[in-house]
Amino acid sequence: MMKDQLRDFIDRISETKHVSDDDVTMLQGEILQGGIASRIEVESLLALDRIVDAAESWGMALTKLVVDYVVWSRAPHGVVSNDDAFWLATLLEISGPSPNAMNIAYAIFDEAGHVDVALLDFIMRGRQQARLSQIAA
């Protein structure tokens, strides 16, 4: 279930197609002060990320929120299971590995004590795609 305030935030940002620094402050300080509470919230924020133009603070905030949820809110703490890694890699892969998606994956690797290989596969595909894009340019 998603918090009403978060749903309202996502609806508003979806209409304006822009996340400002003030929006990020509101998201972190009021709406998700206690962090993300469910997969549906992660999924909704990542879907929003794919359709908006955003202030630089958005990527950092989104990364922190997702990492805290995946690494520290799910049991066992500090471990990203196969199920969670596959779910997240699938989400991050939608529309290709964006800079925010790659930052989230790298941050999870930095913070977690153990991460299932599904997330590593996502990172490797993203790196390969980036190399191929540079070659084609």
Side-chain angles (χ1 to χ4, degrees):
M1 175 164 273
M2 187 184 309
K3 299 174 185 99
D4 289 338
Q5 280 185 304
L6 181 56
R7 181 175 287 112
D8 293 343
F9 175 86
I10 290 170
D11 288 346
R12 181 175 59 79
I13 298 300
S14 294
E15 288 178 19
T16 64
K17 302 279 194 248
H18 181 74
V19 180
S20 69
D21 287 324
D22 290 340
D23 293 325
V24 172
T25 300
M26 180 191 314
L27 182 67
Q28 290 181 300
E30 297 172 27
I31 299 170
L32 292 176
Q33 184 177 17
I36 292 174
S38 68
R39 280 185 170 192
I40 193 74
E41 291 179 358
V42 172
E43 292 165 4
S44 298
L45 288 170
L46 289 174
L48 184 67
D49 183 55
R50 289 188 289 276
I51 64 167
V52 298
D53 175 45
E56 191 173 321
S57 61
W58 166 251
M60 293 178 287
L62 180 63
T63 298
K64 180 171 179 13
L65 286 165
V66 173
V67 170
D68 286 350
Y69 174 74
V70 172
V71 177
W72 301 115
S73 295
R74 311 272 298 159
H77 301 299
V79 173
V80 181
S81 70
N82 175 266
D83 182 53
D84 286 342
F86 186 75
W87 161 76
L88 187 60
T90 301
L91 282 176
L92 296 175
E93 189 83 48
I94 295 172
S95 300
S98 70
N100 283 342
M102 294 300 291
N103 287 339
I104 289 167
Y106 280 120
I108 287 171
F109 266 98
D110 287 345
E111 193 138 341
H114 172 77
V115 179
D116 186 79
V117 70
L119 204 54
L120 179 60
D121 287 344
F122 165 76
I123 289 174
M124 297 307 291
R125 285 190 306 275
R127 292 177 69 179
Q128 181 179 20
Q129 185 175 352
R131 278 195 303 274
L132 291 174
S133 294
Q134 289 175 347
I135 291 171

